[in-house]
């Protein structure tokens, strides 16, 4: 098992009612697997996940990227800075 | 991380345009372009007026991204100095949420680099705005293209 | 002449970028672009360093032309506010000889209008620069296209 | 006869050694005729006149424009503001 620190921002944080949580995933889990687990753990996030990107350790990551124990996984809704 | 030659700042304090211009002033530059993004007055479909935008950032990642943007701009244009400042928190109507200043030897490059920085910042950097309405309502702005 | 909504100034006093930004700040604007043209350090073929540019203007005509430029820019882009400031006299290396600030609802228009204003000013407005060199020499700059 | 107030700028002023002068021209004289008269009156200007534009009463004017008594004629070398 690996433990992943998940950070939630903006509409995702509001929907979840919290800014972060921890996920326990099987060894070798991908970003995609983490997203699925996140939608199961916090059902209020499910409707937003199709529009959500992810970053691992502060760098954008694709769905196939493999996570390792202790990674920081950020769930990133469409950005709107500027 | 090596010291950056650029002024990169993500901060809850009001942005100081004069300080950005002073930072990029350089004897080798003949041109400075400065872009300010300001909160524009709006009215929503319920007839409510916008009072402010409230900016949230994934600060560590956004700061890295802003440094990376500066590096990419320097690879494309002969930039003398560069300042890239963005607010977090509440930015009232008329106030700046972003200030970008770029100095270059010739003017076309200062315009092109400044435009690249704001265009790219808006689609890449992990910052989000929430619209705060006069009746206390609030709306996250999340363009529907991820 | 009707009162201009724009800040148009041709002056021997140092240009105040902050005042220009304050002037164009407007609740209806989401974007401000500011261009500063600054004296760039140069060395001439005799190896002399540039110490300053000295600007002369046909003041009455140039002021009319600057007002007309503002009017033409307003006809092309939805401009909220506009400031167009130019120095006369001696402008040392690193100092601004021209400051242009334009506010618009959306950013592409602020860049386009600001670029139009500086590009057109440089080829039309009756202002001339003389290069002042470290050894006391001076050279008028007159591009060879009239 | 008409009297025209001529203003000289930048390299033209330096070449002439003065910022203005008065030309007396026949009735109906054009900007072109004034330019020719200016080159004769101040020979040091002649080499610059091929690169010189003109304004009448603070508006750019072509060579065929007819001058009237009291006009202000500005001799404008290539501009270099900004």
């Amino acid at each position: 098992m690996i433990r992943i620190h998940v950070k939630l921002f903006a509409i995702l944080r509001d929907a979840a009612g919290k800014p972060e949580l921890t996920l326990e995933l099987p060894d070798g889990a991908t970003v995609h697997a983490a997203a699925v687990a996140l939608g199961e753990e916090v059902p209020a996030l499910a409707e937003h996940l199709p529009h959500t990107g992810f970053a691992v350790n502060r760098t954008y990551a694709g769905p196939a990227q493999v996570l390792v124990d202790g990674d920081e996984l950020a769930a990133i809704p469409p950005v709107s800075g500027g | 991380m090596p010291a950056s030659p650029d002024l990169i700042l993500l901060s809850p304090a009001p942005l100081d345009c004069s300080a950005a211009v002073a930072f990029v002033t350089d004897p080798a530059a003949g041109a400075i372009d400065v872009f300010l993004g300001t909160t524009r007055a709006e009215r929503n479909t319920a007839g409510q007026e916008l009072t402010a935008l409230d900016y949230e950032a994934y600060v560590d990642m956004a700061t890295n991204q802003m440094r990376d943007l500066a590096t990419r701009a320097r690879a494309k244009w002969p930039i003398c100095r560069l300042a890239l400042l963005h607010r977090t928190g509440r930015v009232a109507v008329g106030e700046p949420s972003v200030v970008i200043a770029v100095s270059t030897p010739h003017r076309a490059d200062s315009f092109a680099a400044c435009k690249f920085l704001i265009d790219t910042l808006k689609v890449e950097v992990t910052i989000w705005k929430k619209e705060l309405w006069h009746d206390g309502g609030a709306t996250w702005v999340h363009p529907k293209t991820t």
Side-chain angles (χ1 to χ4, degrees), chain A, chain B:
Chain A
M1 292 293 281
I2 56 175
R3 291 168 63 92
I4 302 300
H5 307 290
V6 178
K7 296 178 79 85
L8 302 172
F9 293 97
I11 203 166
L12 299 178
R13 180 173 39 71
D14 284 2
K18 55 189 170 187
E20 53 190 30
L21 58 102
T22 300
L23 282 180
E24 299 202 333
L25 298 169
D27 287 349
T30 60
V31 167
H32 176 71
V36 171
L38 188 60
E40 289 165 358
E41 176 92 6
V42 189
L45 294 180
E47 66 168 303
H48 301 292
L49 291 176
H51 304 289
T52 298
F54 290 91
V56 176
N57 302 330
R58 294 165 294 286
T59 300
Y60 281 119
Q65 183 166 331
V66 174
L67 297 164
V68 301
D69 191 54
D71 274 350
E72 177 173 296
L73 177 72
I76 297 178
V79 299
S80 55
Chain B
M1 189 172 311
S4 165
D6 305 316
L7 177 61
I8 305 289
L9 190 66
L10 183 58
S11 158
L15 299 182
D16 184 344
C17 177
S18 301
V21 171
F23 182 85
V24 303
T25 295
D26 189 303
I32 297 173
D33 195 53
V34 187
F35 177 80
L36 296 88
T38 54
T39 300
R40 185 179 59 242
E42 295 282 357
R43 190 182 289 273
N44 68 11
T45 50
Q48 286 296 315
E49 290 185 0
L50 186 74
T51 56
L53 294 171
D54 194 6
Y55 285 88
E56 171 179 338
Y58 183 11
V59 174
D60 291 350
M61 180 168 170
T63 304
N64 287 349
Q65 290 177 296
M66 289 163 73
R67 282 207 192 89
D68 178 60
L69 275 186
T71 302
R72 286 155 63 191
R74 283 184 172 279
K76 292 165 77 86
W77 294 281
I79 291 172
C80 299
R81 308 197 73 170
L82 186 160
L84 180 47
L85 318 178
H86 202 295
R87 280 287 308 274
T88 55
R90 206 179 154 99
V91 181
V93 168
E95 288 183 7
S97 52
V98 58
V99 173
I100 301 174
V102 181
S103 59
T104 61
H106 300 283
R107 72 186 184 283
D109 292 328
S110 70
F111 281 110
C114 206
K115 191 165 188 311
F116 165 81
L117 288 164
I118 183 61
D119 287 351
T120 312
L121 179 146
K122 287 178 81 90
V123 296
E124 293 188 4
V125 176
T126 49
I127 301 174
W128 300 270
K129 62 167 73 83
K130 188 161 59 175
E131 296 166 324
L132 305 181
W133 303 100
H134 192 251
D135 63 355
T139 323
W140 282 109
V141 179
H142 290 309
K144 278 292 179 235
T145 51
T146 106

